[in-house]
């Protein structure tokens, strides 16, 4: 076992870098993570590699999930499974508290860990478009028939970032409310041919809906999206997603919608005939200050609910 703390200006060790390139996903790649985080822990155990983004606080470091990263799964290089419990123990021994998100469902958790199941939605694009469209909901089909939109491509990452920050209803952490930072991530993905932007305009040639997708190996991820009030009223995002499904249908690819626990968004995603895949959030607190903060946060949440 080895656990190595890496700062932003350090590269992965050469052997690890090769394994990540061959077996990892987009979010594992050093160039991607370095746009979002300053530090991470690199843990290796029996041929398995785990990257854990961390940030510093007054108690030391804690693990966190940066924006643009839904899951950062362990990378298996020798097909040895069932070591996740041990990996959690190693991580907790190095990092006093935090959160990680994995696809793996670990039933026997180390002491101090909690687990929450989340839903992700994916669509396998191998069938022909006409077969994929048959699985759309009737409401989605009616919307596409009623609202005819031209879907365009863009390479202007800064324009997308400004549009997203101005129109998105999502809660964005203060550290990432920066068009330059978001545009750097998007432009780098586009330059490396691992991403693309699609949008719909109104009659005055102003964008009313935009979406940024990443594309790495066999997975296209619907990562960032937003619409203006006009775009929502004419279901412009329906057209963007339908256009993407049509473009990549018949290929051995998955469209990953990134999921949502918000019922309205989940219903919208499911209208495209998606399947559910689960992932899991694991949290732990071994430092006494972390435990006090957790109790206080739970107490505050209870007050707000009442």
């Amino acid at each position: 076992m080895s656990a190595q703390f890496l700062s932003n200006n350090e590269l992965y060790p050469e052997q690890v870098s090769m394994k990540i390139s061959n077996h990892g996903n987009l979010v594992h790649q050093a160039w991607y993570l370095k746009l979002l985080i300053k530090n991470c822990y690199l843990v290796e155990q029996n041929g398995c590699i785990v990257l854990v983004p961390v940030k510093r606080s007054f108690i030391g470091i804690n693990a966190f999930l940066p924006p643009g990263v839904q899951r950062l799964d362990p990378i298996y290089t020798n097909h040895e499974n069932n070591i996740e419990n041990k990996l959690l123990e190693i991580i907790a021994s190095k990092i006093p508290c935090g959160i990680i998100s994995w696809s793996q469902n670990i039933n026997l958790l180390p002491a101090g860990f909690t687990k929450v199941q989340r839903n992700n939605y994916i669509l396998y694009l191998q069938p022909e478009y006409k077969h994929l469209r048959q699985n759309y909901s009737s409401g989605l089909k009616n919307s596409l028939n009623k609202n005819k939109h031209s879907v365009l491509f863009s390479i202007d990452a800064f324009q997308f970032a400004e549009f997203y920050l101005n129109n998105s209803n999502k809660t964005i952490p203060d550290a990432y409310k920066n068009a330059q930072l978001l545009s750097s991530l998007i432009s780098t993905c586009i330059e490396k041919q691992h991403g693309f932007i699609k949008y719909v305009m109104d009659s005055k040639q102003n964008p009313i809906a935009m979406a940024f997708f990443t594309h790495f190996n066999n997975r296209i991820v619907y990562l960032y999206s937003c619409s203006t009030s006009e775009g929502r009223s004419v279901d412009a995002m329906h057209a963007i997603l339908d256009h993407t499904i049509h473009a990549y249908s018949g290929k051995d690819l998955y469209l990953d919608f990134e999921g949502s626990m918000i019922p309205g968004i989940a219903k919208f995603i499911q209208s495209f005939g998606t399947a559910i895949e689960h992932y899991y959030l694991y949290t732990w607190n071994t430092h006494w200050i972390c435990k006090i903060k957790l109790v206080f946060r739970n107490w505050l949440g209870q007050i707000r609910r009442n």
Side-chain angles (χ1 to χ4, degrees), residues 178-195:
N178 183 316
Q180 185 61 51
L181 180 66
L182 189 56
S183 65
S184 294
L185 174 67
I186 294 171
S187 62
T188 303
C189 288
I190 292 174
E191 288 168 8
K192 292 180 176 291
Q193 299 184 339
H194 290 310

Side-chain angles (χ1 to χ4, degrees), residues 13 15-16 37 46 51 53 71 92 142 151 155 277:
Q15 285 188 329
V16 171
I37 64 173
N46 295 343
L51 300 170
R71 287 169 285 179
N142 291 336
V151 177
I155 58 171
E277 65 175 11

Side-chain angles (χ1 to χ4, degrees), residues 5 19 24-25 57 68 118 126 147-148 168 174 248 288 295:
F5 181 82
K19 291 176 182 177
N25 298 321
S57 67
R118 292 291 178 88
Q126 177 74 67
N147 302 296
K148 301 295 185 180
S168 176
D174 289 340
Y248 290 96
W288 64 271
V295 171

Side-chain angles (χ1 to χ4, degrees), residues 194-258:
H194 290 310
F196 54 90
I197 298 168
K198 290 187 177 185
Y199 68 101
V200 169
M201 293 193 298
D202 62 14
S203 59
K204 297 180 181 179
Q205 304 301 299
N206 295 315
I208 58 173
M210 300 188 81
F212 171 67
F213 300 80
T214 61
H215 186 183
F216 191 83
N217 291 337
N218 72 332
R219 188 161 288 225
I220 299 169
V221 179
Y222 176 53
L223 189 59
Y224 292 114
S225 63
C226 61
S227 303
T228 63
S229 57
E230 180 186 353
R232 290 189 292 273
S233 69
V234 296
D235 295 337
M237 196 58 66
H238 293 67
I240 290 176
L241 284 165
D242 177 64
H243 186 271
T244 304
I245 290 168
H246 187 278
Y248 290 96
S249 61
K251 297 179 175 63
D252 185 21
L253 297 170
Y254 288 90
L255 177 57
D256 185 337
F257 287 78
E258 283 281 279

Side-chain angles (χ1 to χ4, degrees), residues 83-101:
I83 62 170
E84 293 89 357
N85 181 282
K86 180 62 176 177
L87 290 171
L88 293 181
E89 291 179 351
I90 295 169
I91 291 168
S93 72
K94 300 295 181 180
I95 307 169
C97 60
I99 181 170
I100 56 177
S101 179

